[in-house]
Amino acid sequence: MTLTGGEVGARGARENAVPAVVAKGLTKSYGRGDATVHALRGVDVSFATGAFTAIMGPSGSGKSTLMHCLAGLDTVSGGQVHIGDVELTGLGDKRLTLLRRERIGFIFQAFNLLPTLTAEQNIRLPLDIAGRQADQDLFDRVVETVGLRERLGHRPTELSGGQQQRVAVARALISKPQVIFADEPTGNLDSRSGAEVLSFLRTSVRELGQTIVMVTHDPVAASYADRVVFLRDGLLVSEIHRPTPQSVLDTLMKLEA
Ligand SMILES: Nc1ncnc2c1ncn2[C@@H]1O[C@H](COP(=O)(O)OP(=O)(O)O)[C@@H](O)[C@H]1O
Ligand SMILES: [Mg+2]
């Protein structure tokens, strides 16, 4: 089944722009011989620029594998991945590292902040590593958006889990990546902090035109997205637009049946 970018819910999104991410015929197997696991069996999917997409599916359906292959964190067994106009699957290690640094942002379930750095230093770290200057207007907007103005001088241990994940969201936004991949970004948060982080992701799509692809198993989290795609046994089997928690749940129930 081929799934295309579909409608773009974000105001101001460029509907006809090149998709931020395209995967064609993506396969990924682990192991050899009798022990081979076919985690992805031929996934065709594209993610529109300026849209927020959630990836869902039962445990073991290939969500993390798909995200890792799309983000160049794992090699593919077959097929292609394009990030904008660059084929990621054709790159050697050096150029792949550069592409990840310059075009891709990550948000993980564990916040992955450096404990000795302040919130502000953590936010600026990817730009410092790349030798780039932060656009001060963008820095101010991002800090306002995620509500961290009063916390910039704090170290991670002095922040709540929700605040730490907001720092991680700000860090991903500040380098204006072509796409942000998030794997269960609210998995370690209580529902109130989770809702805050999800609204900031939603706002960054609407206000900054950010493209976001988020893996989640939570129908409420998925309902913040413009579109939800569903995996089962390593294949994309369904998608819905303008999801609600109920429509996501209904689709999941059908998949598990
Ligand atoms: N490093 C690995 N080695 C072997 N099998 C793996 C590895 N990573 C994932 N798998 C297998 O691939 C399938 C998909 O896993 P995964 O992408 O983690 O699913 P999900 O994130 O949807 O729970 C599962 O059967 C899993 O056991
Ligand atoms: Mg997973």
Side-chain angles (χ1 to χ4, degrees):
M1 180 177 189
T2 299
L3 300 175
T4 53
E7 66 190 325
V8 174
R11 208 182 325 138
R14 291 166 294 157
E15 309 245 352
N16 298 317
V18 179
V21 185
V22 178
K24 287 196 184 122
L26 204 58
T27 62
K28 175 69 182 180
S29 307
Y30 295 105
R32 287 167 180 272
D34 287 350
T36 305
V37 175
H38 300 284
L40 300 177
R41 297 169 185 268
V43 172
D44 296 292
V45 66
S46 86
F47 298 96
T49 296
F52 186 2
T53 310
I55 300 176
M56 296 198 87
S59 177
S61 58
K63 303 183 293 296
S64 295
T65 302
L66 176 59
M67 206 199 83
H68 292 158
C69 289
L70 294 175
L73 294 171
D74 203 351
T75 56
V76 305
S77 302
Q80 291 110 39
V81 175
H82 284 82
I83 302 288
D85 54 2
V86 177
E87 190 194 336
L88 177 150
T89 32
L91 299 179
D93 279 353
K94 250 192 190 154
R95 293 184 58 203
L96 184 58
T97 303
L98 269 180
L99 177 94
R100 274 204 307 260
R101 189 184 291 166
E102 287 169 2
R103 298 213 190 182
I104 301 178
F106 295 99
I107 303 169
F108 298 99
Q109 184 170 344
F111 318 125
N112 290 357
L113 302 178
L114 289 186
T116 57
L117 300 185
T118 64
E120 174 158 4
Q121 289 167 335
N122 267 288
I123 295 170
R124 291 185 187 273
L125 187 64
L127 291 174
D128 288 345
I129 290 173
R132 284 162 61 194
Q133 283 290 323
D135 169 342
Q136 192 58 39
D137 283 349
L138 179 67
F139 181 85
D140 290 337
R141 267 179 93 183
V142 165
V143 165
E144 283 313 319
T145 304
V146 299
L148 284 168
R149 182 60 69 194
E150 309 300 316
R151 297 279 183 279
L152 286 177
H154 290 55
R155 292 196 164 68
T157 50
E158 300 164 338
L159 299 171
S160 70
Q163 289 166 342
Q164 289 183 58
Q165 193 62 309
R166 287 195 255 150
V167 173
V169 170
R171 179 182 57 184
L173 290 171
I174 200 73
S175 50
K176 288 193 270 186
Q178 191 146 24
V179 55
I180 290 177
F181 291 106
D183 197 355
E184 299 277 3
T186 56
N188 277 338
L189 301 178
D190 59 59
S191 59
R192 190 170 141 256
S193 307
E196 270 173 19
V197 166
L198 289 161
S199 335
F200 295 134
L201 294 177
R202 182 69 255 156
T203 305
S204 73
V205 170
R206 193 180 56 234
E207 308 269 322
L208 306 171
Q210 183 61 58
T211 306
I212 298 179
V213 178
M214 170 179 77
V215 169
T216 182
H217 67 265
D218 175 3
V220 173
S223 72
Y224 283 78
D226 299 304
R227 169 181 176 233
V228 186
V229 299
F230 295 86
L231 275 175
R232 188 176 61 190
D233 296 332
L235 287 172
L236 274 191
V237 289
S238 190
E239 73 171 288
I240 55 177
H241 293 266
R242 301 182 189 285
T244 62
Q246 192 58 49
S247 67
V248 171
L249 210 55
D250 291 346
T251 310
L252 280 174
M253 302 277 269
K254 269 185 235 150
L255 291 187
E256 312 245 6

PDB file of all heavy atoms in Angstrom, residues 169-200:
ATOM      1  N   VAL A 169      13.081  19.766  23.431  1.00  0.00           N
ATOM      2  CA  VAL A 169      12.290  20.240  22.287  1.00  0.00           C
ATOM      3  C   VAL A 169      12.911  21.529  21.732  1.00  0.00           C
ATOM      4  O   VAL A 169      13.109  21.666  20.512  1.00  0.00           O
ATOM      5  CB  VAL A 169      10.816  20.491  22.685  1.00  0.00           C
ATOM      6  CG1 VAL A 169      10.064  21.211  21.573  1.00  0.00           C
ATOM      7  CG2 VAL A 169      10.123  19.169  23.026  1.00  0.00           C
ATOM      8  N   ALA A 170      13.276  22.454  22.630  1.00  0.00           N
ATOM      9  CA  ALA A 170      13.905  23.711  22.196  1.00  0.00           C
ATOM     10  C   ALA A 170      15.213  23.422  21.467  1.00  0.00           C
ATOM     11  O   ALA A 170      15.505  24.023  20.424  1.00  0.00           O
ATOM     12  CB  ALA A 170      14.153  24.615  23.404  1.00  0.00           C
ATOM     13  N   ARG A 171      15.998  22.473  22.004  1.00  0.00           N
ATOM     14  CA  ARG A 171      17.280  22.113  21.378  1.00  0.00           C
ATOM     15  C   ARG A 171      17.064  21.575  19.965  1.00  0.00           C
ATOM     16  O   ARG A 171      17.826  21.869  19.041  1.00  0.00           O
ATOM     17  CB  ARG A 171      17.991  21.063  22.248  1.00  0.00           C
ATOM     18  CG  ARG A 171      19.316  20.586  21.691  1.00  0.00           C
ATOM     19  CD  ARG A 171      19.934  19.521  22.561  1.00  0.00           C
ATOM     20  NE  ARG A 171      19.038  18.384  22.745  1.00  0.00           N
ATOM     21  CZ  ARG A 171      19.301  17.343  23.525  1.00  0.00           C
ATOM     22  NH1 ARG A 171      20.418  17.291  24.207  1.00  0.00           N
ATOM     23  NH2 ARG A 171      18.445  16.354  23.625  1.00  0.00           N
ATOM     24  N   ALA A 172      15.985  20.787  19.784  1.00  0.00           N
ATOM     25  CA  ALA A 172      15.708  20.248  18.448  1.00  0.00           C
ATOM     26  C   ALA A 172      15.249  21.351  17.490  1.00  0.00           C
ATOM     27  O   ALA A 172      15.575  21.334  16.307  1.00  0.00           O
ATOM     28  CB  ALA A 172      14.650  19.148  18.543  1.00  0.00           C
ATOM     29  N   LEU A 173      14.477  22.337  18.018  1.00  0.00           N
ATOM     30  CA  LEU A 173      13.909  23.374  17.147  1.00  0.00           C
ATOM     31  C   LEU A 173      14.933  24.410  16.695  1.00  0.00           C
ATOM     32  O   LEU A 173      14.807  24.978  15.606  1.00  0.00           O
ATOM     33  CB  LEU A 173      12.780  24.115  17.887  1.00  0.00           C
ATOM     34  CG  LEU A 173      11.492  23.348  18.150  1.00  0.00           C
ATOM     35  CD1 LEU A 173      10.586  24.153  19.087  1.00  0.00           C
ATOM     36  CD2 LEU A 173      10.774  23.071  16.815  1.00  0.00           C
ATOM     37  N   ILE A 174      15.956  24.654  17.531  1.00  0.00           N
ATOM     38  CA  ILE A 174      16.800  25.833  17.356  1.00  0.00           C
ATOM     39  C   ILE A 174      17.641  25.776  16.085  1.00  0.00           C
ATOM     40  O   ILE A 174      18.013  26.793  15.518  1.00  0.00           O
ATOM     41  CB  ILE A 174      17.688  26.053  18.607  1.00  0.00           C
ATOM     42  CG1 ILE A 174      18.191  27.482  18.679  1.00  0.00           C
ATOM     43  CG2 ILE A 174      18.840  25.082  18.660  1.00  0.00           C
ATOM     44  CD1 ILE A 174      17.127  28.458  19.064  1.00  0.00           C
ATOM     45  N   SER A 175      17.961  24.573  15.608  1.00  0.00           N
ATOM     46  CA  SER A 175      18.768  24.515  14.386  1.00  0.00           C
ATOM     47  C   SER A 175      17.892  24.418  13.132  1.00  0.00           C
ATOM     48  O   SER A 175      18.396  24.173  12.049  1.00  0.00           O
ATOM     49  CB  SER A 175      19.779  23.372  14.460  1.00  0.00           C
ATOM     50  OG  SER A 175      19.141  22.185  14.844  1.00  0.00           O
ATOM     51  N   LYS A 176      16.568  24.652  13.288  1.00  0.00           N
ATOM     52  CA  LYS A 176      15.642  24.639  12.151  1.00  0.00           C
ATOM     53  C   LYS A 176      15.862  23.433  11.243  1.00  0.00           C
ATOM     54  O   LYS A 176      16.099  23.571  10.038  1.00  0.00           O
ATOM     55  CB  LYS A 176      15.788  25.925  11.322  1.00  0.00           C
ATOM     56  CG  LYS A 176      15.215  27.138  12.024  1.00  0.00           C
ATOM     57  CD  LYS A 176      15.088  28.310  11.071  1.00  0.00           C
ATOM     58  CE  LYS A 176      16.361  29.141  11.073  1.00  0.00           C
ATOM     59  NZ  LYS A 176      16.261  30.368  10.284  1.00  0.00           N
ATOM     60  N   PRO A 177      15.828  22.221  11.798  1.00  0.00           N
ATOM     61  CA  PRO A 177      16.070  21.039  10.974  1.00  0.00           C
ATOM     62  C   PRO A 177      14.942  20.834   9.958  1.00  0.00           C
ATOM     63  O   PRO A 177      13.813  21.280  10.187  1.00  0.00           O
ATOM     64  CB  PRO A 177      16.093  19.893  11.985  1.00  0.00           C
ATOM     65  CG  PRO A 177      15.257  20.378  13.118  1.00  0.00           C
ATOM     66  CD  PRO A 177      15.468  21.860  13.182  1.00  0.00           C
ATOM     67  N   GLN A 178      15.265  20.185   8.865  1.00  0.00           N
ATOM     68  CA  GLN A 178      14.251  19.879   7.858  1.00  0.00           C
ATOM     69  C   GLN A 178      13.159  18.996   8.456  1.00  0.00           C
ATOM     70  O   GLN A 178      11.999  19.093   8.095  1.00  0.00           O
ATOM     71  CB  GLN A 178      14.922  19.163   6.685  1.00  0.00           C
ATOM     72  CG  GLN A 178      14.034  19.031   5.480  1.00  0.00           C
ATOM     73  CD  GLN A 178      14.835  19.124   4.195  1.00  0.00           C
ATOM     74  OE1 GLN A 178      16.035  18.856   4.164  1.00  0.00           O
ATOM     75  NE2 GLN A 178      14.171  19.515   3.128  1.00  0.00           N
ATOM     76  N   VAL A 179      13.545  18.147   9.411  1.00  0.00           N
ATOM     77  CA  VAL A 179      12.557  17.282  10.074  1.00  0.00           C
ATOM     78  C   VAL A 179      13.042  16.969  11.488  1.00  0.00           C
ATOM     79  O   VAL A 179      14.235  16.840  11.728  1.00  0.00           O
ATOM     80  CB  VAL A 179      12.334  15.979   9.264  1.00  0.00           C
ATOM     81  CG1 VAL A 179      13.632  15.241   9.014  1.00  0.00           C
ATOM     82  CG2 VAL A 179      11.327  15.047   9.963  1.00  0.00           C
ATOM     83  N   ILE A 180      12.087  16.905  12.415  1.00  0.00           N
ATOM     84  CA  ILE A 180      12.376  16.421  13.769  1.00  0.00           C
ATOM     85  C   ILE A 180      11.729  15.049  13.927  1.00  0.00           C
ATOM     86  O   ILE A 180      10.543  14.886  13.655  1.00  0.00           O
ATOM     87  CB  ILE A 180      11.819  17.375  14.848  1.00  0.00           C
ATOM     88  CG1 ILE A 180      12.618  18.680  14.873  1.00  0.00           C
ATOM     89  CG2 ILE A 180      11.860  16.710  16.237  1.00  0.00           C
ATOM     90  CD1 ILE A 180      12.094  19.710  15.866  1.00  0.00           C
ATOM     91  N   PHE A 181      12.529  14.057  14.352  1.00  0.00           N
ATOM     92  CA  PHE A 181      12.008  12.734  14.688  1.00  0.00           C
ATOM     93  C   PHE A 181      11.914  12.625  16.200  1.00  0.00           C
ATOM     94  O   PHE A 181      12.875  12.947  16.911  1.00  0.00           O
ATOM     95  CB  PHE A 181      12.931  11.632  14.153  1.00  0.00           C
ATOM     96  CG  PHE A 181      12.930  11.527  12.661  1.00  0.00           C
ATOM     97  CD1 PHE A 181      14.009  11.987  11.917  1.00  0.00           C
ATOM     98  CD2 PHE A 181      11.850  10.960  11.997  1.00  0.00           C
ATOM     99  CE1 PHE A 181      14.017  11.891  10.532  1.00  0.00           C
ATOM    100  CE2 PHE A 181      11.850  10.858  10.606  1.00  0.00           C
ATOM    101  CZ  PHE A 181      12.928  11.328   9.873  1.00  0.00           C
ATOM    102  N   ALA A 182      10.759  12.181  16.678  1.00  0.00           N
ATOM    103  CA  ALA A 182      10.552  12.028  18.119  1.00  0.00           C
ATOM    104  C   ALA A 182      10.068  10.612  18.381  1.00  0.00           C
ATOM    105  O   ALA A 182       9.100  10.159  17.764  1.00  0.00           O
ATOM    106  CB  ALA A 182       9.530  13.053  18.606  1.00  0.00           C
ATOM    107  N   ASP A 183      10.773   9.874  19.267  1.00  0.00           N
ATOM    108  CA  ASP A 183      10.373   8.500  19.599  1.00  0.00           C
ATOM    109  C   ASP A 183       9.793   8.492  21.006  1.00  0.00           C
ATOM    110  O   ASP A 183      10.533   8.645  21.971  1.00  0.00           O
ATOM    111  CB  ASP A 183      11.577   7.553  19.493  1.00  0.00           C
ATOM    112  CG  ASP A 183      11.139   6.083  19.422  1.00  0.00           C
ATOM    113  OD1 ASP A 183       9.927   5.802  19.559  1.00  0.00           O
ATOM    114  OD2 ASP A 183      12.017   5.220  19.234  1.00  0.00           O
ATOM    115  N   GLU A 184       8.483   8.360  21.122  1.00  0.00           N
ATOM    116  CA  GLU A 184       7.787   8.346  22.410  1.00  0.00           C
ATOM    117  C   GLU A 184       8.208   9.526  23.294  1.00  0.00           C
ATOM    118  O   GLU A 184       8.612   9.332  24.455  1.00  0.00           O
ATOM    119  CB  GLU A 184       8.074   7.030  23.158  1.00  0.00           C
ATOM    120  CG  GLU A 184       7.623   5.777  22.427  1.00  0.00           C
ATOM    121  CD  GLU A 184       6.144   5.460  22.621  1.00  0.00           C
ATOM    122  OE1 GLU A 184       5.444   6.254  23.297  1.00  0.00           O
ATOM    123  OE2 GLU A 184       5.686   4.442  22.081  1.00  0.00           O
ATOM    124  N   PRO A 185       8.114  10.772  22.789  1.00  0.00           N
ATOM    125  CA  PRO A 185       8.672  11.912  23.536  1.00  0.00           C
ATOM    126  C   PRO A 185       7.975  12.167  24.866  1.00  0.00           C
ATOM    127  O   PRO A 185       8.536  12.830  25.734  1.00  0.00           O
ATOM    128  CB  PRO A 185       8.464  13.099  22.584  1.00  0.00           C
ATOM    129  CG  PRO A 185       7.315  12.697  21.725  1.00  0.00           C
ATOM    130  CD  PRO A 185       7.457  11.209  21.552  1.00  0.00           C
ATOM    131  N   THR A 186       6.754  11.650  25.038  1.00  0.00           N
ATOM    132  CA  THR A 186       6.045  11.885  26.293  1.00  0.00           C
ATOM    133  C   THR A 186       5.982  10.612  27.146  1.00  0.00           C
ATOM    134  O   THR A 186       5.294  10.575  28.153  1.00  0.00           O
ATOM    135  CB  THR A 186       4.617  12.395  26.018  1.00  0.00           C
ATOM    136  OG1 THR A 186       3.936  11.467  25.176  1.00  0.00           O
ATOM    137  CG2 THR A 186       4.647  13.739  25.322  1.00  0.00           C
ATOM    138  N   GLY A 187       6.748   9.588  26.742  1.00  0.00           N
ATOM    139  CA  GLY A 187       6.712   8.298  27.424  1.00  0.00           C
ATOM    140  C   GLY A 187       7.114   8.344  28.889  1.00  0.00           C
ATOM    141  O   GLY A 187       6.670   7.519  29.675  1.00  0.00           O
ATOM    142  N   ASN A 188       7.991   9.310  29.250  1.00  0.00           N
ATOM    143  CA  ASN A 188       8.450   9.402  30.640  1.00  0.00           C
ATOM    144  C   ASN A 188       7.765  10.511  31.426  1.00  0.00           C
ATOM    145  O   ASN A 188       8.210  10.860  32.507  1.00  0.00           O
ATOM    146  CB  ASN A 188       9.966   9.684  30.678  1.00  0.00           C
ATOM    147  CG  ASN A 188      10.769   8.397  30.528  1.00  0.00           C
ATOM    148  OD1 ASN A 188      10.260   7.314  30.796  1.00  0.00           O
ATOM    149  ND2 ASN A 188      12.003   8.520  30.094  1.00  0.00           N
ATOM    150  N   LEU A 189       6.714  11.098  30.871  1.00  0.00           N
ATOM    151  CA  LEU A 189       6.102  12.275  31.512  1.00  0.00           C
ATOM    152  C   LEU A 189       4.710  11.952  32.040  1.00  0.00           C
ATOM    153  O   LEU A 189       3.994  11.115  31.484  1.00  0.00           O
ATOM    154  CB  LEU A 189       6.005  13.421  30.492  1.00  0.00           C
ATOM    155  CG  LEU A 189       7.326  13.883  29.867  1.00  0.00           C
ATOM    156  CD1 LEU A 189       7.061  14.995  28.851  1.00  0.00           C
ATOM    157  CD2 LEU A 189       8.289  14.370  30.936  1.00  0.00           C
ATOM    158  N   ASP A 190       4.320  12.666  33.122  1.00  0.00           N
ATOM    159  CA  ASP A 190       2.931  12.558  33.576  1.00  0.00           C
ATOM    160  C   ASP A 190       2.045  13.238  32.531  1.00  0.00           C
ATOM    161  O   ASP A 190       2.533  13.939  31.645  1.00  0.00           O
ATOM    162  CB  ASP A 190       2.754  13.196  34.952  1.00  0.00           C
ATOM    163  CG  ASP A 190       3.125  14.666  34.968  1.00  0.00           C
ATOM    164  OD1 ASP A 190       2.519  15.448  34.201  1.00  0.00           O
ATOM    165  OD2 ASP A 190       4.050  15.040  35.711  1.00  0.00           O
ATOM    166  N   SER A 191       0.724  13.021  32.621  1.00  0.00           N
ATOM    167  CA  SER A 191      -0.128  13.431  31.499  1.00  0.00           C
ATOM    168  C   SER A 191      -0.156  14.957  31.324  1.00  0.00           C
ATOM    169  O   SER A 191      -0.232  15.452  30.200  1.00  0.00           O
ATOM    170  CB  SER A 191      -1.540  12.871  31.656  1.00  0.00           C
ATOM    171  OG  SER A 191      -2.114  13.326  32.849  1.00  0.00           O
ATOM    172  N   ARG A 192      -0.008  15.717  32.436  1.00  0.00           N
ATOM    173  CA  ARG A 192      -0.043  17.169  32.295  1.00  0.00           C
ATOM    174  C   ARG A 192       1.220  17.685  31.578  1.00  0.00           C
ATOM    175  O   ARG A 192       1.137  18.468  30.625  1.00  0.00           O
ATOM    176  CB  ARG A 192      -0.188  17.830  33.665  1.00  0.00           C
ATOM    177  CG  ARG A 192      -0.477  19.295  33.543  1.00  0.00           C
ATOM    178  CD  ARG A 192      -0.869  19.966  34.852  1.00  0.00           C
ATOM    179  NE  ARG A 192      -0.244  21.277  34.894  1.00  0.00           N
ATOM    180  CZ  ARG A 192       0.820  21.559  35.616  1.00  0.00           C
ATOM    181  NH1 ARG A 192       1.364  20.641  36.391  1.00  0.00           N
ATOM    182  NH2 ARG A 192       1.352  22.768  35.577  1.00  0.00           N
ATOM    183  N   SER A 193       2.411  17.202  31.999  1.00  0.00           N
ATOM    184  CA  SER A 193       3.655  17.601  31.329  1.00  0.00           C
ATOM    185  C   SER A 193       3.664  17.104  29.896  1.00  0.00           C
ATOM    186  O   SER A 193       4.148  17.796  28.988  1.00  0.00           O
ATOM    187  CB  SER A 193       4.871  17.024  32.046  1.00  0.00           C
ATOM    188  OG  SER A 193       4.856  17.346  33.402  1.00  0.00           O
ATOM    189  N   GLY A 194       3.129  15.901  29.684  1.00  0.00           N
ATOM    190  CA  GLY A 194       3.057  15.351  28.335  1.00  0.00           C
ATOM    191  C   GLY A 194       2.219  16.246  27.432  1.00  0.00           C
ATOM    192  O   GLY A 194       2.608  16.549  26.300  1.00  0.00           O
ATOM    193  N   ALA A 195       1.077  16.697  27.954  1.00  0.00           N
ATOM    194  CA  ALA A 195       0.192  17.567  27.172  1.00  0.00           C
ATOM    195  C   ALA A 195       0.890  18.876  26.822  1.00  0.00           C
ATOM    196  O   ALA A 195       0.755  19.389  25.710  1.00  0.00           O
ATOM    197  CB  ALA A 195      -1.094  17.839  27.954  1.00  0.00           C
ATOM    198  N   GLU A 196       1.687  19.407  27.777  1.00  0.00           N
ATOM    199  CA  GLU A 196       2.435  20.645  27.514  1.00  0.00           C
ATOM    200  C   GLU A 196       3.424  20.447  26.378  1.00  0.00           C
ATOM    201  O   GLU A 196       3.475  21.246  25.435  1.00  0.00           O
ATOM    202  CB  GLU A 196       3.225  21.051  28.766  1.00  0.00           C
ATOM    203  CG  GLU A 196       2.454  21.954  29.702  1.00  0.00           C
ATOM    204  CD  GLU A 196       3.232  22.181  31.001  1.00  0.00           C
ATOM    205  OE1 GLU A 196       4.469  21.957  31.010  1.00  0.00           O
ATOM    206  OE2 GLU A 196       2.584  22.553  31.979  1.00  0.00           O
ATOM    207  N   VAL A 197       4.200  19.363  26.460  1.00  0.00           N
ATOM    208  CA  VAL A 197       5.208  19.108  25.428  1.00  0.00           C
ATOM    209  C   VAL A 197       4.540  18.924  24.059  1.00  0.00           C
ATOM    210  O   VAL A 197       4.994  19.468  23.049  1.00  0.00           O
ATOM    211  CB  VAL A 197       6.072  17.879  25.807  1.00  0.00           C
ATOM    212  CG1 VAL A 197       6.882  17.386  24.624  1.00  0.00           C
ATOM    213  CG2 VAL A 197       6.987  18.224  26.978  1.00  0.00           C
ATOM    214  N   LEU A 198       3.417  18.203  24.045  1.00  0.00           N
ATOM    215  CA  LEU A 198       2.709  17.984  22.781  1.00  0.00           C
ATOM    216  C   LEU A 198       2.165  19.303  22.215  1.00  0.00           C
ATOM    217  O   LEU A 198       2.213  19.520  21.001  1.00  0.00           O
ATOM    218  CB  LEU A 198       1.571  16.982  22.975  1.00  0.00           C
ATOM    219  CG  LEU A 198       2.040  15.540  23.196  1.00  0.00           C
ATOM    220  CD1 LEU A 198       0.937  14.709  23.821  1.00  0.00           C
ATOM    221  CD2 LEU A 198       2.518  14.927  21.885  1.00  0.00           C
ATOM    222  N   SER A 199       1.682  20.198  23.082  1.00  0.00           N
ATOM    223  CA  SER A 199       1.202  21.490  22.561  1.00  0.00           C
ATOM    224  C   SER A 199       2.356  22.297  21.985  1.00  0.00           C
ATOM    225  O   SER A 199       2.168  23.019  21.003  1.00  0.00           O
ATOM    226  CB  SER A 199       0.519  22.380  23.597  1.00  0.00           C
ATOM    227  OG  SER A 199      -0.004  21.651  24.618  1.00  0.00           O
ATOM    228  N   PHE A 200       3.560  22.191  22.603  1.00  0.00           N
ATOM    229  CA  PHE A 200       4.692  22.934  22.046  1.00  0.00           C
ATOM    230  C   PHE A 200       5.082  22.369  20.682  1.00  0.00           C
ATOM    231  O   PHE A 200       5.416  23.128  19.770  1.00  0.00           O
ATOM    232  CB  PHE A 200       5.891  22.895  22.998  1.00  0.00           C
ATOM    233  CG  PHE A 200       5.615  23.598  24.287  1.00  0.00           C
ATOM    234  CD1 PHE A 200       5.952  23.036  25.497  1.00  0.00           C
ATOM    235  CD2 PHE A 200       4.974  24.835  24.285  1.00  0.00           C
ATOM    236  CE1 PHE A 200       5.672  23.680  26.682  1.00  0.00           C
ATOM    237  CE2 PHE A 200       4.689  25.487  25.466  1.00  0.00           C
ATOM    238  CZ  PHE A 200       5.031  24.904  26.671  1.00  0.00           C
TER     239      PHE A 200
END
